[in-house]
Amino acid sequence: MSDEKILDEKIARLVRSIDKNVPPAVEEKIKAAAALLHPRPRFFKLRRPLMITLIPSAAAVLLAVFVLLPLFQKPQQPISEIRTEFEIADKNIKIIFFQKPDFNLFKED
C-alpha cells in the first residue's frame, strides 16, 4: 500500500471513532460533494496508452524503412568481367581466365 492510502485509512478510523453524530443532511451533502470530486489523473496512467500505441507504430515505421530503403538506392553496376591469372613458374606457363558477364555456368548449348 502507498503512504497516502495508509494515511487515508488512519484518518478514516479516527473520524469514525468519534461518537458525535453527523446530521443526515450534512452527511448527504458530504457524500454528494465527494461523488463530484474526481481524482487527478496520474502520469503513469496517462503514459500507458501512449506506450501501447507507440511501440507498434515504431515497429511499423521501422518495417516500412526496411522495405522502402532498397527502392531508393541506386542499382549496382554489373561486373564487366572477372580476370584471374595463374602462373606456373617452373614450366614458364601463365594462364589467364576472363569471365564475361553473359557467362552462365549452367547454361546448356
Side-chain angles (χ1 to χ4, degrees), residues 39-96:
R40 290 188 305 178
R42 298 189 182 219
F43 180 70
F44 68 90
K45 289 182 181 178
L46 293 176
R47 196 176 70 186
R48 183 177 294 154
L50 178 67
M51 294 302 284
I52 289 173
T53 58
L54 189 62
I55 292 172
S57 61
V61 167
L62 189 63
L63 181 66
V65 166
F66 282 124
V67 168
L68 296 176
L69 190 61
L71 296 176
F72 294 112
Q73 290 180 343
K74 291 182 179 178
Q76 294 181 353
Q77 297 295 328
I79 299 173
S80 60
E81 65 182 27
I82 298 175
R83 179 183 169 130
T84 308
E85 294 184 12
F86 296 102
E87 187 171 343
I88 302 173
D90 59 341
K91 305 247 186 211
N92 200 15
I93 299 174
K94 188 173 196 179
I95 303 171
I96 302 173

Side-chain angles (χ1 to χ4, degrees), residues 7-19:
L7 183 61
D8 286 344
E9 289 177 4
K10 186 174 182 180
I11 291 171
R13 255 185 288 129
L14 288 172
V15 169
R16 287 187 201 113
S17 68
I18 298 175
D19 289 333

